[in-house]
Amino acid sequence: MAEVGVSVEDELTARTSEPDLLALHESIADLFATQGDWRRAYHHMRSALDIARAGSLRDPLTSSYNRRYLDQRLPDLPTSRGLAVALVDLDRFKSVNDTYGHLLGDRVLCRVADLLQEGLPPDAFCARYGGEEFALVLPETDHAGAVRLAEAARARVARHRWSELRPGLRVTISVGLAHGRTPGPHQLRRADDLLYAAKHAGRNKIAYQDSESARVVTYSE
């Protein structure tokens, strides 16, 4: 039995991807079950279930959270200081795929997801909303702080050295930022309307509702 424990530790260290770890925990659970060691079998089966659940809440391409995670978390987030939802869309992403191919387009999506997640507060998160759209969720963030975070994300993408992926490549994003205290589908719809306003204003901009009025503000450097 000791030899089994040593080989398990070695293999767990060597194999780190979620699909491999899931299959490994399942096979180890089967092994311990055949040996009558139900406690260890149960432990590894629980680990396999935890990995499977985590994987179902992640986008397989970008490793950011997915729409399912967003829909589950959004209604239960704290809002005492306000909650901001920013919908992010890659500008003219179809032309990136048409010009450089879908494989490079996938690399762009992954890089954008990484850039969006940089500098987020501990409780904030990024989720792939669908296609080339992402959502930044900023709980316990006031209006001014949310605008700063959204603008920082827009600037990071615009300033990134995209030519390192392919000469001539340039990528920007447009952002619709909705701030409030009652999270849910209506806030996502408002963010989507503001995203359209940012696109209509010329792209590579953020659009948000002024906290002192009903005026929609579009902003970029």
Side-chain angles (χ1 to χ4, degrees):
M1 181 68 75
E3 291 181 0
V4 171
V6 171
S7 64
V8 166
E9 289 181 358
D10 291 343
E11 198 168 358
L12 279 170
T13 302
R15 300 170 65 182
T16 57
S17 71
E18 284 186 356
D20 283 345
L21 284 175
L22 176 60
L24 181 60
H25 278 295
E26 288 176 338
S27 63
I28 293 170
D30 288 342
L31 175 62
F32 282 130
T34 59
Q35 295 173 345
D37 193 337
W38 302 110
R39 182 181 63 83
R40 290 186 179 181
Y42 174 77
H43 169 76
H44 284 282
M45 187 54 66
R46 282 294 303 271
S47 296
L49 290 172
D50 288 344
I51 292 170
R53 181 178 181 276
S56 71
L57 299 176
R58 292 277 184 179
D59 173 55
L61 176 63
T62 65
S63 296
S64 61
Y65 289 112
N66 58 21
R67 179 69 180 272
R68 179 181 179 187
Y69 180 86
L70 174 69
D71 291 341
Q72 288 181 3
R73 283 291 310 279
L74 193 59
D76 299 324
L77 290 171
T79 60
S80 61
R81 294 180 57 203
L83 171 76
V85 175
L87 282 186
V88 177
D89 185 72
L90 276 70
D91 295 327
R92 298 187 173 93
F93 184 65
K94 182 179 184 300
S95 69
V96 173
N97 282 329
D98 291 345
T99 303
Y100 301 101
H102 288 273
L103 289 179
L104 188 108
D106 286 349
R107 294 179 66 188
V108 168
L109 287 172
C110 292
R111 189 70 56 87
V112 167
D114 291 341
L115 291 168
L116 292 176
Q117 291 172 122
E118 285 183 18
L120 290 181
D123 294 334
F125 64 89
C126 173
R128 190 176 181 191
Y129 195 64
E132 62 267 25
E133 286 192 348
F134 294 86
L136 293 181
V137 179
L138 312 170
E140 297 292 26
T141 305
D142 62 23
H143 187 273
V147 172
R148 285 195 298 270
L149 287 166
E151 169 54 18
R154 184 207 63 78
R156 272 196 305 275
V157 174
R159 295 170 182 169
H160 186 68
R161 296 180 179 178
W162 293 105
S163 59
E164 293 179 355
L165 283 182
R166 189 67 57 88
L169 176 65
R170 184 172 181 265
V171 178
T172 62
I173 59 172
S174 296
V175 184
L177 175 67
H179 187 271
R181 295 183 184 274
T182 53
H186 68 284
Q187 191 172 18
L188 286 167
R189 287 194 297 270
R190 189 150 52 93
D192 191 53
D193 290 341
L194 289 163
L195 173 60
Y196 178 80
K199 293 280 192 182
H200 186 70
R203 298 181 175 85
N204 192 23
K205 298 180 185 296
I206 65 171
Y208 57 92
Q209 197 136 9
D210 190 284
S211 59
E212 303 298 328
S213 70
R215 185 168 60 100
V216 173
V217 179
T218 56
Y219 176 82
S220 65
E221 287 183 318

